[in-house]
Structures are given as structure tokens and as C-alpha cells.
Amino acid sequence: LSMVPKHPVPNHVPMEVLLERVPEVLLPFCLGRYGLFQKQLTLLEEAEGGFDQFTRSYESFGAHRLSDNSMLFREWAPAAEAVFLTGDFNGWDKFSHPYKKKQFGKWELQLPPKEDNSPAVAHNSKLKVVVHTKGGERLYRISPWATYVTKPSTSVIYDWIFWDPPHPYVRKHPRPRKPCSLRIYEAHVGIASPECKVASYSNFTHNVLPRIKDLGYNCIQLMAIMEHAYYASFGYQVTSFFSASSRYGTPEELKELIDVAHSLGIMVLLDVVHSHASKNTEDGLNHFDGSDSCFFHGGARGEHPVWDSRLFNYSSWEVLRFLLSNLRWWIDEYGFDGFRFDGVTSMLYHHHGVGSGFSGNYAEYFGLHVDEDSLVYLMLANHILHMLYQDCITIAEDVSGMPTLCRPVQEGGCGFDYRLAMAIPDKWIQILKEFKDEEWNMGNIVYTLTNRRYSEKCIAYAESHDQALVGDKTLAFWLMDKDMYTNMSALIPMNPVIDRGVQLHKMIRLLTHGLGGEGYLNFMGNEFGHPEWLDFPRVGNSESYHYARRQFNLVDTDHLRYWQLYVFDRDMNRTEAKYGWLAAAPAYVSTKHEGDKVIIFERGDVVFVFNFHPTNSYSSYRVAVGTPGKIKLDSDDLEYGGHGRLDHNTDFFTEPIPFNERANSMQTTSQIHLSHQPVIHQHTER
């Protein structure tokens, strides 16, 4: 029975359908990639009795209390000569509890209950794996499958804590269904407070979740959850893959956070790092069994040339077990609803994207420079996740533009639901750095926002955590810089810098929201124009938390203009929730006028009108459109820090006058000014 596949291995879609969906030149590559995936999945089904059992290996590896209170410990350490368990339970005796060697480099230890039938290892007690190498070394290690690790205040090394609470958190709320329009709030628990400290899961649950709900976001992307010894790595140098970071609180508090988010109708994605791992040895995966390989490639192939980290060997059976089980662990144990996969570009290519410009030529994406082992891993991960969890969402962080990344696995694609539109924030930063307002190129902006494969969904964003990091600045700070310190009061007239910055901040975000993708992302705090940058405590800044926080107190002070930006972001999301342009077909751009600095497009049942001209307003402007409508969102509204120059009681009726390749158009009257210094935009419902 164990040889019978629990889930049939899928065939690729019929050839005639594949030819309709995939360019003919790519067909051999897609079929070849699918063949590799199909072979690996078949092997997995035959050897492990199905991927369901294989990906639940977290139930047997690591440390476990069984139903009779006996204990099971299992590790994979193929290069070890001997393995022992030590800890509080045996007075830290290094030799009293040896593991038994099993097949394929596995080691196992079973402990009966104590005389009073309590487990041999108590909840919240410390443990260590002692590995004896063939070279005679004795290594003290944390289990790769450890579910909770903490750092004592007197040490820089993390401790493995056996987490088995007598009253584990019980979920109260069902998971939300996958939304048609995905509006993501990218967040970091540790900086989610105005205070100069590491904030907690509980703080996020009680103080940040209500803000996210009010803003109209229906999904949270949580960063830096997988345990990382170095706080300033932003969570991207993972040391313990199955441990939720203890610097924010306990596992049960994270479970509560996710459950409460679900009660608000908000999905929660984990920013998962399977592209590389920290080089730490005593509290990481590196050299776990004393060898240079184990979970990683040996030699130079196992070292990232830029990140100073280790690279997984995706061809290893046990590495596949570890990583695929890791994905299921976060969903089953904590209730996460999906993943944003970090560093996908590094995984896809043997060169890891280093020194590669990626012009879009197909030769850059298909050939011997592609790492087929990691490609097949990503196909397996997406296939398994979507088979087991109907509403699971997966997002790829790929800067290369790999074709078919977000096409179904059955078409030879990688199976992601979305990819990040990473060129968009780069374009906005470039414009603000290099061009005067009158030099902005409307056609180039529209090209960047629409230059994507429309059969592969994109998450658009004007800025994420990347743009906020030290060395760069938020969009608000690029726009207003030092004036934000002294001129953001709504009790005084705006000076020209603040006036321009407030208006452009709103316009950039709405234009990106409406035209840039099939989903939208905002990094925590940027919705209200958070000033300055992000910088975690480190030696270079005297371990300061001053820039490692989000100053929500700014938006809570209603006489500051941060509140106006917050309200605009809220109403932008609420308007999208009502009209659903993110889930609509690609936009039709009817106007990108360089002289007028005007962009007009239709998407779904909404017409967007933007005037980026720094000095000109237009009172009789013809707009190509389909049906009559009313203003639904106006960045010039006084509530949003605008000038209130538009009459919201005006109905705009179309005429059967063809214009810009549309059958109908409408003529704005003197009642509506599309722009004046500062620039504004008008947004109408069709």
C-alpha cells in the first residue's frame, strides 16, 4: 500500500492547449522542466508513500512527546560518527543518552516516561545535540528541527528550548478565503512600535492589526519570523527554520496574532527564506554534522558570493524533506496562509543573478546556467502547497523576469500565484533622484507600470522595505526631506516642498495601485509617509533603535499631515475593494500626453485621470471613456491634504464623440480642474 501514490502525478496540459499558452520557442524547455518535476514527484510517491506523509516529517524529526509520554528524537547527520542528547533533563551529561544509527544517515533516540509517567524532557527545558565527528571533534548543536530557541542575555549563542506547553493555543477562527484583489501590508513585528525597543507579537495583535483592518488591506506579509540570530539581517540570515523568533514573544502569541488577523478577514503570509541560510554553526544549520555539506553544497557551490551565507543542495532527498516539511509546518502549526519566497533569483541560476542585467532575451532564462535542482524544488513546493491548501498564496521575489514563473506547474511553469513587480519602485526612485518635475516622461512611466506578461500576475508597489533601508529613503523623504521635521503641521499653510510632496505621494501610490499589477503591496508606515529610513541596532550605529521603529504616533496626531496621507491610503484601498480594479483585465491607456503631463486609463469600471504637470491646470479636457460617472476618489480633497478644487456633485456624461480610439468621450467643464501646483489627480467611476 505504501507504494500506491496518495496523489496521482499530474500530466502536463494537452499539447494543443500548451501551444496556446506558451510561446512555441519555449515549449521544449517547459516540457523538459515538467519532465524533471514529474520524475521527482514520482520518486517521492514511490519512496515515501506520497508527498503528504513526506512533508509532515516535522512530526517525527526533532524532539517529540508521544501519546504515552515517551519521547522520540530523530536527526539526519550523515557525516557523524556518533550522536548524543544532553540537557537539563540529564544534568548535561554528554554521553548518557546516545542516538542509534539508522539507514541513510539518520539517528534516533527513544526515552520512556519517568516513574511518575511524566515525560523525560519537560516543557521549557534546554537541550543540545552532541555530534562526534569522524575526525574526533565534539560539536554542540541545536536540532535543525527545533521549534523554539532563545538567546540568554549573557550569551550571543541561542539555546534550544523544548516547547511543549500544557495549554497550547487553540485556533478560534477559520481561515479567510483567497481574495480576488490582493492588497498586502508588508510588516515587521519587531519595529511595529514608536518605542525604541523590539516590539512584541502581542503589541502587533492589539495595536497594529486594527490599523491594517482600518486601512483596507486584506493580507499581511510578515517579515523576519523565522529565527535569525542577527537582528540587523532583517530576518534574511535564518538560523532556525522551524522556530518563530523568540525576540518578539512565544509561539503561542504568534498563533494568536494570526488567528486574530483571520477573525478580521485578513490573510497572513510568511516571508520564507529557502534561498540560503546563515553561516552560524553552533545555533544554525552550517556544519551540523561536522561536514561542509550536509544541508548544503560542499565547496564553492555552497557559498553565496555576495550574501556570505550557505546555499542549499536541492538535489538532496533529505534537504527536500526538510524544506518542504518546513513550508507545511508554518501553515499547519501556526496557521499561515501562504508565502512570499525570498531570493528566488538566486535560486534559479547558478550565477545567482550576480552581474546579470537580464535584458529579457529568452537565452538568459533557459540553458545550462539555470539551476534545475532548485527550479524543480520550487515546482514541487508550489504543486504540493496548492494541492493541500486550496487558498494558499505564493509570491516570488524574482528580479530576473523568468518566464512562466507564475504559470501552472502542468504547463512547465513554477506554479507561483504572483511575482513582485520589482522594476516599479526602482523607476519611482530613479525619477525622484534624477529628473525635475517638468522632465517626467509619461510614456516611460506608463511603460514601466504596464511592462509585464499579463498571463502572470504581478504585485505592484511604489516602495517596500528595500527602499526604506539605510542607504536609501522612503518616497516621502525623497519628496520632502528635512521639511518633514518642521512643516508637516496642518495648522500652518503648506510650503511648496510639502505641498508638492504630499500631492505626489498620493498620486504615485494610486497610479501604481491602478496600473501596475494584479495585487498591491505597501510597507508598514509608508502609507502615511513615514519619514527617514530603517536601520537596525548594530555596532555601526551604537546599537541604536532610533531608526528601528515605526512612528505611529505621527499619524495619531491629527493636526499633522501624516493623518491626511493615511486617510487617502485607506480610502484608496476601500475604493478598490468596492470596484475591484486589481482583479480586472489589463488597463486601457487612452492618454499619455507629454506636453500636458497627463495620464488617463480605464480599468474595470473605473476611469483614472492624472495630471503630473507642475504648473498647468486644465478646465476643458476631453477624456476618452465609456459610460457616465461621478468622482469617487479625489487626491485634491481637503481631507487628504489637497486644495478642494473639484465639485464632487458633478455628473460627467459621455458623448458619442470618438476620442483616443474609444467610441465615447466626455468634456470636463470649468467645474473640474485636473491640476494646479501642486499636482493632483481625479478618479471617476464609470
Side-chain angles (χ1 to χ4, degrees), residues 292-582:
D292 183 43
S293 51
C294 196
F295 290 94
F296 310 108
H297 289 291
R301 190 180 176 187
E303 307 269 347
H304 196 284
V306 176
W307 297 344
D308 192 32
S309 54
R310 299 304 311 272
L311 298 174
F312 287 106
N313 179 3
Y314 301 102
S315 66
S316 166
W317 194 261
E318 293 304 321
V319 171
L320 289 179
R321 182 195 305 278
F322 180 79
L323 294 177
L324 292 172
S325 295
N326 187 237
L327 296 175
R328 285 206 67 181
W329 163 259
W330 290 109
I331 291 180
D332 291 347
E333 182 69 14
Y334 285 93
F336 280 98
D337 301 292
F339 304 95
R340 178 259 201 192
F341 281 74
D342 179 69
V344 169
T345 305
S346 176
M347 299 173 70
L348 290 174
Y349 309 96
H350 291 297
H351 55 62
H352 309 297
V354 178
S356 300
F358 296 109
S359 66
N361 189 303
Y362 282 144
E364 297 169 338
Y365 307 113
F366 302 94
L368 296 177
H369 51 285
V370 175
D371 189 333
E372 291 182 335
D373 293 333
S374 61
L375 189 75
V376 169
Y377 164 69
L378 291 172
M379 295 173 77
L380 282 171
N382 278 298
H383 172 73
I384 292 170
L385 287 171
H386 289 106
M387 285 287 290
L388 294 173
Y389 311 102
Q390 180 181 357
D391 290 311
C392 180
I393 295 172
T394 59
I395 302 171
E397 188 225 18
D398 169 44
V399 74
S400 76
M402 168 67 78
T404 74
L405 192 67
C406 300
R407 294 304 299 168
V409 170
Q410 290 86 341
E411 295 178 9
C414 276
F416 285 99
D417 295 297
Y418 299 89
R419 69 194 313 153
L420 293 177
M422 301 182 72
I424 295 176
D426 291 343
K427 173 57 64 176
W428 286 124
I429 294 296
Q430 180 200 18
I431 289 172
L432 295 177
K433 279 183 177 180
E434 300 178 7
F435 297 99
K436 298 176 182 178
D437 291 1
E438 59 270 21
E439 296 173 344
W440 287 26
N441 186 305
M442 301 295 101
N444 185 253
I445 292 172
V446 169
Y447 175 79
T448 301
L449 288 167
T450 58
N451 181 29
R452 59 186 184 274
R453 300 180 187 91
Y454 282 97
S455 60
E456 300 188 53
K457 294 180 180 180
C458 290
I459 302 293
Y461 57 104
E463 54 184 335
S464 70
H465 71 273
D466 286 324
Q467 286 69 45
L469 287 172
V470 64
D472 209 332
K473 296 185 287 191
T474 63
L475 282 181
F477 217 55
W478 275 112
L479 287 164
M480 296 173 278
D481 206 72
K482 63 181 183 297
D483 283 70
M484 297 188 78
Y485 295 123
T486 56
N487 292 286
M488 285 296 280
S489 172
L491 303 178
I492 60 174
M494 289 186 285
N495 68 19
V497 172
I498 296 298
D499 203 347
R500 169 186 177 270
V502 166
Q503 314 316 325
L504 281 177
H505 190 271
K506 291 176 289 184
M507 293 181 69
I508 287 170
R509 300 173 82 77
L510 180 60
L511 182 57
T512 302
H513 205 306
L515 194 58
E518 291 69 41
Y520 178 76
L521 178 142
N522 165 68
F523 178 64
M524 178 172 60
N526 288 351
E527 69 276 4
F528 62 82
H530 200 288
E532 300 176 325
W533 51 85
L534 272 174
D535 190 14
F536 286 83
R538 53 189 173 86
V539 173
N541 65 10
S542 302
E543 303 295 335
S544 171
Y545 284 85
H546 179 75
Y547 296 108
R549 58 191 178 122
R550 295 280 89 179
Q551 299 181 59
F552 293 114
N553 54 297
L554 296 175
V555 77
D556 291 340
T557 307
D558 57 10
H559 69 266
L560 295 179
R561 297 194 182 278
Y562 300 102
W563 168 249
Q564 296 169 341
L565 296 177
Y566 174 97
V567 173
F568 178 79
D569 196 84
R570 179 197 69 191
D571 291 354
M572 176 176 66
N573 283 319
R574 291 181 180 181
T575 306
E576 196 288 325
K578 183 175 181 179
Y579 299 107
W581 62 71
L582 287 171

